[in-house]
Amino acid sequence: MIHITYPAHDFRIKEEDGKEFIFDEFRRLWTRLTPEEWVRQNILQYLTTVKKYPASLIAIEKEISLGDIKKRFDILVYRTSKPWMVIECKEMNVPLSAATLRQALNYNIRLQTDYLVITNGTDTKGFYLGNAEAEEIESFPGY
């Protein structure tokens, strides 16, 4: 299990028509503040502020094709212009399960990353996939 201490951040939040929105600094747009989006925004701040991953090499909620099926990954970190780490976010009350891991692994069939991470903001599990067998990691790798 990966332990994360999230950095303090002054998120911009607004309410419109009874719904909350958060300003996504990475995509430069207002997006609906769902429980999953809250997890995604905090993970993004951790990656860029604490781990010093370059924001310019992080893709958020992009569509990929898995055969005839179109899916959207949550976060993809690039390194030397190649997909390096895929991160699947769930809302805090959703336990990390085999189904969550399977979802991220399905994305990785197309993405072929070295690292795969699943998180619900409270619990985070990561795996290094560069060997013949997946190895669980205890912290995010340095960039």
Side-chain angles (χ1 to χ4, degrees):
M1 192 77 67
I2 298 173
H3 174 74
I4 297 175
T5 301
Y6 293 100
H9 186 73
D10 190 20
F11 291 104
R12 291 173 48 200
I13 296 173
K14 70 177 182 178
E15 189 173 318
E16 253 180 41
D17 300 324
K19 297 176 183 169
E20 285 188 311
F21 292 83
I22 188 168
F23 187 74
D24 183 327
E25 298 169 13
F26 300 88
R27 293 180 280 181
R28 294 183 177 92
L29 57 82
W30 288 96
T31 188
R32 181 81 190 277
L33 180 53
T34 63
E36 182 177 317
E37 188 63 38
W38 182 248
V39 171
R40 184 172 23 254
Q41 291 300 315
N42 277 280
I43 285 289
L44 288 165
Q45 288 302 320
Y46 175 78
L47 294 176
T48 56
T49 304
V50 176
K51 297 304 290 183
K52 305 297 185 199
Y53 289 15
S56 62
L57 296 178
I58 297 175
I60 303 158
E61 284 202 308
K62 298 288 185 190
E63 188 175 273
I64 57 172
S65 296
L66 300 172
D68 293 339
I69 301 170
K70 299 222 184 282
K71 296 285 187 179
R72 294 177 81 82
F73 60 76
D74 283 312
I75 299 170
L76 182 63
V77 181
Y78 288 87
R79 190 168 190 180
T80 60
S81 74
K82 291 183 169 185
W84 181 63
M85 176 187 295
V86 64
I87 303 170
E88 176 60 25
C89 300
K90 296 294 181 193
E91 60 184 79
M92 285 184 174
N93 65 352
V94 174
L96 300 181
S97 65
T100 306
L101 181 57
R102 207 170 17 258
Q103 180 182 4
L105 286 167
N106 283 337
Y107 295 158
N108 209 43
I109 290 169
R110 174 83 166 94
L111 298 169
Q112 297 291 299
T113 63
D114 289 338
Y115 291 93
L116 183 145
V117 176
I118 57 176
T119 185
N120 62 11
T122 303
D123 297 325
T124 302
K125 291 184 179 182
F127 303 90
Y128 174 66
L129 307 174
N131 296 328
E133 221 173 276
E135 299 172 27
E136 190 162 359
I137 58 175
E138 293 184 15
S139 64
F140 275 88
Y143 193 84

